Amino acid sequence: MPPFDLPEGDPFGPHNLPYGVFSLPGSAARTVGVRLGDHVLDVGAAARALGSPHAELLTAPTLNPLLAAGRTVWSQVRRDLTEWVTDPAHRPTVEPLFRPLSSVTLHLPFEVADYVDFYSSEHHARNAGAIFRPDAADTLLANWKHLPIGYHGRAGTVVVSGTDVVRPSGQRKAPTDPAPVFGPSVRLDIEAEVGFVVGVPSRQGTPVALTDFRDHVFGLCLLNDWSARDIQAWEYVPLGPFLAKSFATSVSAWITPLDALESARVTPPERTHPLLPYLDDAAAEPAGYDLRISIALNGHVVSEPPFSSMYWTAAQQLAHLTVNGASLRTGDLYGSGTVSGPNPGQLGSLLELTWNGRDPLELPDGKRTFLEDGDLVTLSAWAPGPGGARVGLGEVSGRVTAG
């Protein structure tokens, strides 16, 4: 099917146009592309052919130069792209520059500078608290409603969708064991998240305000922050996640620009505690996003977490990340934290779905508490778009292999 002949309601129509990086068979050269339906447009080649002043940014092998260019350029390039794929006058030039998705290799679309992961779903945090602190008067810790909890992860092990995930090894110790043992994790889990990609850097010592979120963040992607629960349980006291998280974080091959998600913006949940001024969004424009996530294990959907239920927004996370003067770099990535909703079919981790292994999932290929070797996990999502359309967010998948 020609690239312009899209089925009605295609979630990757001209209203979307997410960015990625691809290569052609037999070539090591990487090229920036945008997705239209089941095709990808060589954006750099189109920019050169049509005399775009942004051709140099778009012929780079990663998205980083475009990310660094800033919001004005992001908007200009998006307007140009929309015109190139919708104006019939450009078809003779643009159509030969499309490639079927099935014929290209997709790569990690940007060079990751730093990686931070948050813990911003109240439903997930309460569930985790109920699992690990069942006798607590409040399953939320005292600080949770006052600041977005987070930790610094490992940028070097962020991988693109389709990359196998090798089962990690480390120390683990069950409560009844006399001493720790070393070996492969036996409680390997997923965390369904959304990742936010920073474009414009900031100066060290200068916090980024809530209102400046859209001047620094280019777009978002799906993210799976794989977790070794048994390793984590032994190592995280008192400093938090380390080896249990740093072995792999998977992201989708497509970065959806924030400008494509205007129709998906929603007001976050009601704030139940007064917020300090740098986090107070009561008078700010709605900063939540209505993203509908689906989790499939070996092709079987096990949960559909709603991102609209996240208590802390991406703007608040960025403000907190920088309030101490920490600087942003182009290519910084920060994860939302596990996305979980209030209902049993809306949980974003196997920890919750099986209640820490107590209640196995019944799947067509057998029961699961945590992941087994060979299991394939796929996260997909969409968001409401203009005029009732859907904006596809692609997918992020990974198969577990033996360590």
Side-chain angles (χ1 to χ4, degrees):
M1 180 179 293
F4 299 106
D5 295 338
L6 298 179
E8 184 177 355
D10 192 301
F12 293 98
H15 62 288
N16 189 346
L17 301 180
Y19 292 84
V21 169
F22 71 97
S23 63
L24 298 175
S27 173
R30 298 187 178 188
T31 304
V32 173
V34 294
R35 181 172 176 176
L36 183 69
D38 290 329
H39 287 77
V40 58
L41 173 65
D42 184 334
V43 176
R48 288 192 301 267
L50 294 168
S52 168
H54 308 299
E56 185 175 353
L57 297 177
L58 301 174
T59 52
T62 74
L63 290 177
N64 290 60
L66 176 61
L67 298 180
R71 187 175 177 184
T72 298
V73 172
W74 302 340
S75 297
Q76 291 172 347
V77 170
R78 181 169 172 80
R79 285 194 296 269
D80 290 344
L81 285 168
T82 303
E83 180 182 331
W84 297 347
V85 302
T86 58
D87 187 342
H90 294 309
R91 286 199 177 189
T93 302
V94 173
E95 187 163 6
L97 303 178
F98 277 97
R99 299 288 183 271
L101 276 177
S102 59
S103 70
V104 304
T105 299
L106 298 174
H107 302 279
L108 189 65
F110 63 101
E111 294 178 5
V112 182
D114 285 308
Y115 170 54
V116 174
D117 194 41
F118 284 95
Y119 186 54
S120 294
S121 164
E122 181 175 356
H123 304 293
H124 173 68
R126 287 195 179 279
N127 288 337
I131 289 170
F132 296 119
R133 300 183 302 277
D135 298 325
D138 188 347
T139 56
L140 280 186
L141 294 175
N143 61 355
W144 199 92
K145 285 293 185 79
H146 295 278
L147 56 87
I149 306 297
Y151 73 93
H152 284 269
R154 183 175 177 83
T157 48
V158 175
V159 296
V160 73
S161 175
T163 304
D164 286 346
V165 174
V166 178
R167 183 178 296 274
S169 291
Q171 289 193 29
R172 60 180 191 269
K173 180 184 178 299
T176 56
D177 290 343
V181 298
F182 179 86
S185 170
V186 296
R187 298 172 75 83
L188 185 58
D189 199 358
I190 63 170
E191 291 189 348
E193 304 192 23
V194 174
F196 292 85
V197 181
V198 172
V200 175
S202 64
R203 181 179 303 173
Q204 189 168 356
T206 304
V208 174
L210 278 174
T211 53
D212 293 333
F213 164 71
R214 292 168 64 82
D215 291 328
H216 290 274
V217 173
F218 174 78
L220 56 79
C221 60
L222 292 178
L223 184 151
N224 185 354
D225 198 32
W226 306 84
S227 300
R229 301 295 184 189
D230 46 353
I231 296 173
Q232 183 177 0
W234 174 235
E235 74 175 3
Y236 86 105
V237 179
L239 294 182
F242 189 43
L243 298 182
K245 300 278 195 173
S246 62
F247 59 96
T249 300
S250 299
V251 295
S252 55
W254 300 107
I255 310 300
T256 303
L258 294 183
D259 283 348
L261 294 167
E262 284 297 298
S263 298
R265 292 170 67 181
V266 294
T267 301
E270 180 184 359
R271 309 305 183 192
T272 57
H273 291 58
L275 297 178
L276 292 172
Y278 79 96
L279 291 172
D280 188 356
D281 60 353
E285 60 184 7
Y289 285 95
D290 182 11
L291 314 178
R292 322 290 178 88
I293 302 171
S294 179
I295 305 171
L297 179 52
N298 298 331
H300 180 73
V301 174
V302 296
S303 185
E304 296 182 318
F307 192 75
S308 59
S309 67
M310 298 294 278
Y311 190 87
W312 296 104
T313 70
Q316 289 172 316
Q317 290 167 342
L318 191 70
H320 186 65
L321 172 61
T322 60
V323 73
N324 67 343
S327 57
L328 298 174
R329 294 196 291 171
T330 297
D332 280 353
L333 171 69
Y334 63 99
S336 63
T338 305
V339 183
S340 289
N343 301 321
Q346 298 177 329
L347 306 177
S349 67
L350 292 175
L351 174 74
E352 298 165 90
L353 286 166
T354 71
W355 210 251
N356 202 24
R358 184 193 68 187
D359 306 319
L361 288 178
E362 297 281 354
L363 300 176
D365 57 347
K367 295 183 178 181
R368 289 292 188 284
T369 51
F370 292 94
L371 296 173
E372 298 181 1
D373 291 348
D375 281 347
L376 176 67
V377 178
T378 301
L379 311 181
S380 57
W382 62 275
R390 291 188 177 192
V391 177
L393 301 183
E395 65 177 35
V396 56
S397 65
R399 187 180 299 277
V400 178
T401 63

